[in-house]
Amino acid sequence: MSKREDLRNIAIIAHVDHGKTTLVDAMLKQGGVFRENQHVDERVMDNNDLEKERGITILSKNTSLNYNGVKINIVDTPGHADFGGEVERVLKMVDGVLVLVDAFEGCMPQTRFVLKKALALNLKPIIVINKIDRPNARPYEVVDEVLELFLELDATEEQFNSPVVFASGRGGYATRNPDKHDGTMKPLLDMILEAVNAPEGDENAPLQFLISNIDYDDYKGTMALGRVERGTIKEGQSAVLCSKDGTQRTVKVAKIYQYQDLNRVETKEAKVGDIVNVSGLGKINIGETLCDAEHVEPLPFVEIDEPTLSMTFSVNNSPFAGQDGDFVTSRHLRDRLFKEMETNVSLKVEETDSAEAFKVSGRGELHLSVLIETMRRQGYEFQVSRPVVINKKIDGKVVEPIELLMIDVPEDCVGIVIDRLSERKAQMMNMTNSATGYTRLEFKIPSRGLIGYRSQLMTDTRGNGIMNHIIAGYEEYKGEIASRQRGSLIAFETGTSVTYGLFNAQERGNMFIGPGVEVYGGMVVGENSRGGDVEVNVCKKKHVTNTRAAGSDDALKLVPHIEMSLEQCIEFIADDELLEVTPNHLRLRKKILDKSLRAKAKNKI
């Protein structure tokens, strides 16, 4: 066994918005990746349109830098719990992790989740307290919180004694003493070389290469991303690909690419510990092992947590179907969903009794909404149903997923938040006050209790509430939870909405559309201020007469309508409604568009 002292493999793990990608920017800049006069976008690793718009990391990505003659491979991982599958699989490629924690917010749900996975794999952690330059930062208190979390997660003595570095990704510096710094990232880079174990292995032993991700290139085709666990992989080498179901096939390695800075660079061979892309393997799946042809020994792969939420994706059958999308048939929809499952390991796609509908299961609302948004931008047109939580049976009892929920709210909103969550079967675990006038509330709540709650929280806290949640396990079914209290305003006929019709309809509740919008009968155009659905004629024009009266012809004033985002639409839809998704439109609608048929279906229940 030999050590690769010229190499370190690390992943950066943290809760969403704690500054992982910004910290990577600073490390790359000071690692000499960019020219001095080169213009570099913020969060250069977030190169996906959705990531740039939302300001979050969705896909894990690789880069590298050279420091003091040592190559440091860096994996930037997502911080949102819904993309935990991206984190779990890449941890198999690294020997150490930077546990990044905000110097003000402290440990959050995703910090607990990813740290638990890292400790279970016996990875070497380095605690990085980031954003020490922000107002109200409390770096020493946060260090104590992180160490308490280590104890809760049964860390070993060695892991508990992990080194601590303080940093400001935006300021571009790191230090071992938060009261002074030299303006560089050197203390963090030095700590990586000191604390993270160098990869070990026998480069002369038979090959073992574990596929942890799949990449695609228009010219090179499908490529396997992974780490050489044993031996050496060479260009043109014959090997055996071992699938998780036990099947094996012989393949030939076409090209090998290493990460150098932000680029992929071709290389003739890669040794034990190297993280590389390999092309020429044909159809591959995450978790498979590439082995030496004469020594077939597949590696175990990390178990990905099960999905907790499912939605039905179906072919669009509304009166406006086919007007926007390029891909509208069931075959298009099926092929796209099953292709997504190849790279999105947390996703599960199942066929249903209908050839036009598919059950898609994921880790949460955001996980599924990102898939929906990606597909609509690619030209797909389809419909989705209300999210449904996936229950399980253990020892004959029905159990449901339970989430750990953290909410930061102004002190004067605490009462209403607790009341609303108690209606959703939440159990309060902790409450702490901060010096900023905010109170942190911690709950255990069934996953189904969170569906549609985010918009309710924004209303109750006047937009000042911050919520984070993560799956904490499964518990016995908690009983019925009251669903949406208000009904829908439904378009009476097909046509174009006009100001006069909307003016009369807005007395019933909040409108989702303005004038000049094409609507069809059965389409949801607003939220009723009371329970139950009401049909409104938003296409109704003013009756024209030759009689004029003072004041009757004054301009009608409309209340500004609500622009519904994709997540708000998913939260709003009821069990008897669907969301029609096209490249240019999001339309809420009833499953049964005809009023008389809806009434008959309701009477049968």
Side-chain angles (χ1 to χ4, degrees):
M1 297 283 281
S2 59
K3 278 192 175 185
R4 292 280 308 274
E5 294 293 350
D6 62 337
L7 181 66
R8 299 290 188 278
N9 295 321
I10 62 164
I12 302 184
I13 58 176
H15 187 79
V16 65
D17 203 30
H18 278 197
K20 297 179 300 301
T21 310
T22 306
L23 188 76
V24 173
D25 283 357
M27 293 170 70
L28 291 175
K29 285 173 184 174
Q30 295 186 30
V33 173
F34 308 113
R35 300 189 312 273
E36 286 187 23
N37 64 343
Q38 183 175 346
H39 170 73
V40 182
D41 292 334
E42 282 190 13
R43 302 190 311 277
V44 68
M45 295 288 283
D46 286 347
N47 51 20
N48 170 313
D49 286 343
L50 268 178
E51 292 177 320
K52 289 178 180 176
E53 287 173 23
R54 293 169 182 251
I56 61 173
T57 302
I58 295 172
L59 304 170
S60 59
K61 300 174 197 70
N62 296 60
T63 185
S64 73
L65 60 88
N66 283 287
Y67 179 70
N68 289 352
V70 178
K71 181 180 181 180
I72 302 175
N73 281 318
I74 304 170
V75 184
D76 182 21
T77 64
H80 199 286
D82 285 19
F83 308 111
E86 290 279 328
V87 181
E88 292 171 67
R89 68 187 190 205
V90 300
L91 291 180
K92 290 288 283 185
M93 295 195 294
V94 299
D95 302 296
V97 290
L98 302 186
V99 183
L100 205 68
V101 184
D102 189 296
F104 171 69
E105 291 186 353
C107 295
M108 298 293 276
Q110 183 71 355
T111 314
R112 172 187 297 270
F113 170 77
V114 291
L115 182 58
K116 182 179 180 181
K117 298 287 182 184
L119 296 178
L121 290 169
N122 202 31
L123 297 177
K124 181 77 176 181
I126 297 174
I127 301 168
V128 181
I129 308 300
N130 194 29
K131 302 187 182 182
I132 60 170
D133 54 343
R134 69 179 290 182
N136 303 308
R138 46 190 189 94
Y140 293 112
E141 290 177 45
V142 172
V143 171
D144 291 339
E145 288 180 19
V146 176
L147 293 178
E148 285 177 17
L149 183 58
F150 271 69
L151 287 174
E152 282 182 43
L153 298 176
D154 297 324
T156 64
E157 186 176 346
E158 184 185 4
Q159 289 169 333
F160 182 78
N161 293 322
S162 298
V164 179
V165 176
F166 302 90
S168 167
R170 177 165 289 183
Y173 62 82
T175 175
R176 302 191 188 193
N177 181 351
D179 299 321
K180 60 180 181 180
H181 64 85
D182 62 2
T184 72
M185 299 298 294
K186 282 188 66 179
L188 176 58
L189 297 171
D190 289 335
M191 183 62 74
I192 292 170
L193 301 192
E194 290 173 25
V196 177
N197 295 330
E200 284 187 49
D202 185 355
E203 60 187 58
N204 298 313
L207 171 67
Q208 278 184 326
F209 175 80
L210 180 64
I211 300 172
S212 298
N213 208 343
I214 295 175
D215 206 349
Y216 184 81
D217 187 278
D218 291 336
Y219 299 101
K220 305 174 187 75
T222 303
M223 293 191 289
L225 170 65
R227 168 172 161 153
V228 182
E229 300 288 344
R230 190 179 71 186
T232 303
I233 186 168
K234 299 179 180 179
E235 186 180 299
Q237 177 179 353
S238 290
V240 173
L241 188 68
C242 304
S243 300
K244 288 188 282 186
D245 60 6
T247 58
Q248 301 176 0
R249 62 185 174 88
T250 303
V251 295
K252 185 176 182 180
V253 176
K255 298 285 184 181
I256 303 170
Y257 301 89
Q258 282 190 330
Y259 284 92
Q260 185 173 312
D261 305 334
L262 293 171
N263 305 311
R264 278 198 302 252
V265 179
E266 189 175 334
T267 183
K268 295 296 181 185
E269 65 175 31
K271 299 176 182 177
V272 62
D274 281 328
I275 296 174
V276 293
N277 275 91
V278 178
S279 67
L281 304 183
K283 184 175 173 58
I284 52 177
N285 292 302
I286 291 169
E288 296 179 339
T289 308
L290 195 64
C291 298
D292 182 86
E294 296 180 6
H295 300 83
V296 181
E297 302 169 30
L299 291 161
F301 189 67
V302 62
E303 286 296 318
I304 305 296
D305 288 345
E306 296 177 356
T308 58
L309 210 63
S310 69
M311 299 172 76
T312 300
F313 285 50
S314 56
V315 173
N316 186 14
N317 60 4
S318 83
F320 295 166
Q323 293 184 2
D324 284 352
D326 298 320
F327 308 104
V328 297
T329 67
S330 60
R331 180 176 60 82
H332 287 140
L333 186 61
R334 183 187 187 281
D335 291 348
R336 177 63 181 82
L337 290 172
F338 278 92
K339 183 180 179 183
E340 180 71 21
M341 200 166 53
E342 292 177 5
T343 56
N344 196 337
V345 292
S346 303
L347 197 75
K348 186 177 180 183
V349 180
E350 301 169 81
E351 304 205 37
T352 64
D353 296 337
S354 168
E356 296 189 343
F358 305 90
K359 181 182 176 184
V360 181
S361 305
R363 290 283 280 268
E365 279 184 74
L366 183 62
H367 186 202
L368 293 173
S369 70
V370 165
L371 170 62
I372 293 168
E373 181 65 30
T374 303
M375 288 176 63
R376 72 180 288 226
R377 292 184 182 207
Q378 292 170 348
Y380 287 84
E381 191 175 304
F382 53 98
Q383 298 173 150
V384 296
S385 69
R386 176 182 171 86
V388 178
V389 168
I390 302 170
N391 295 332
K392 296 199 298 187
K393 264 196 172 184
I394 298 178
D395 298 330
K397 293 182 179 179
V398 176
V399 294
E400 62 177 332
I402 301 293
E403 309 230 6
L404 175 65
L405 172 67
M406 282 189 183
I407 299 184
D408 293 297
V409 294
E411 291 176 359
D412 60 338
C413 299
V414 169
I416 190 168
V417 169
I418 293 173
D419 286 345
R420 298 284 193 194
L421 287 171
S422 63
E423 294 171 2
R424 294 168 175 262
K425 307 294 184 183
Q427 177 186 356
M428 182 182 281
M429 308 299 292
N430 195 15
M431 182 169 84
T432 52
N433 294 316
S434 71
T436 59
Y438 271 68
T439 300
R440 174 167 294 177
L441 306 171
E442 294 183 32
F443 298 88
K444 271 190 173 181
I445 183 171
S447 294
R448 59 197 168 95
L450 287 174
I451 296 175
Y453 178 66
R454 191 178 296 272
S455 56
Q456 180 73 61
L457 175 69
M458 292 298 103
T459 302
D460 292 340
T461 62
R462 301 179 294 279
N464 292 314
I466 303 168
M467 66 180 273
N468 293 284
H469 55 93
I470 190 168
I471 294 292
Y474 285 80
E475 292 183 11
E476 200 166 332
Y477 186 72
K478 303 293 183 183
E480 290 298 319
I481 295 176
S483 57
R484 194 177 90 201
Q485 301 296 314
R486 297 181 175 185
S488 300
L489 299 179
I490 306 166
F492 173 72
E493 62 182 0
T494 300
T496 304
S497 61
V498 294
T499 302
Y500 185 75
L502 290 168
F503 181 77
N504 293 316
Q506 71 184 11
E507 297 175 1
R508 297 282 192 172
N510 300 316
M511 303 305 296
F512 297 155
I513 63 168
V517 177
E518 297 292 326
V519 300
Y520 52 81
M523 179 173 157
V524 175
V525 293
E527 180 185 35
N528 191 5
S529 57
R530 302 178 181 181
D533 297 334
V534 175
E535 288 207 337
V536 292
N537 192 352
V538 293
C539 305
K540 183 180 180 181
K541 296 180 180 178
K542 184 178 180 182
H543 183 62
V544 179
T545 70
N546 59 0
T547 307
R548 304 175 75 84
S552 64
D553 291 329
D554 288 349
L556 300 175
K557 293 183 180 179
L558 294 178
V559 176
H561 65 278
I562 300 171
E563 290 282 353
M564 298 279 276
S565 67
L566 175 60
E567 279 81 10
Q568 286 174 318
C569 289
I570 291 173
E571 289 181 355
F572 181 82
I573 50 179
D575 292 332
D576 65 339
E577 294 171 351
L578 295 170
L579 172 62
E580 179 186 347
V581 180
T582 77
N584 300 314
H585 297 97
L586 294 171
R587 300 186 184 101
L588 295 161
R589 53 158 290 184
K590 288 293 180 181
K591 285 183 180 178
I592 303 172
L593 297 177
D594 186 86
K595 180 181 178 181
S596 58
L597 294 177
R598 275 202 307 274
K600 286 180 182 177
K602 193 172 183 180
N603 291 332
K604 286 181 182 178
I605 297 175

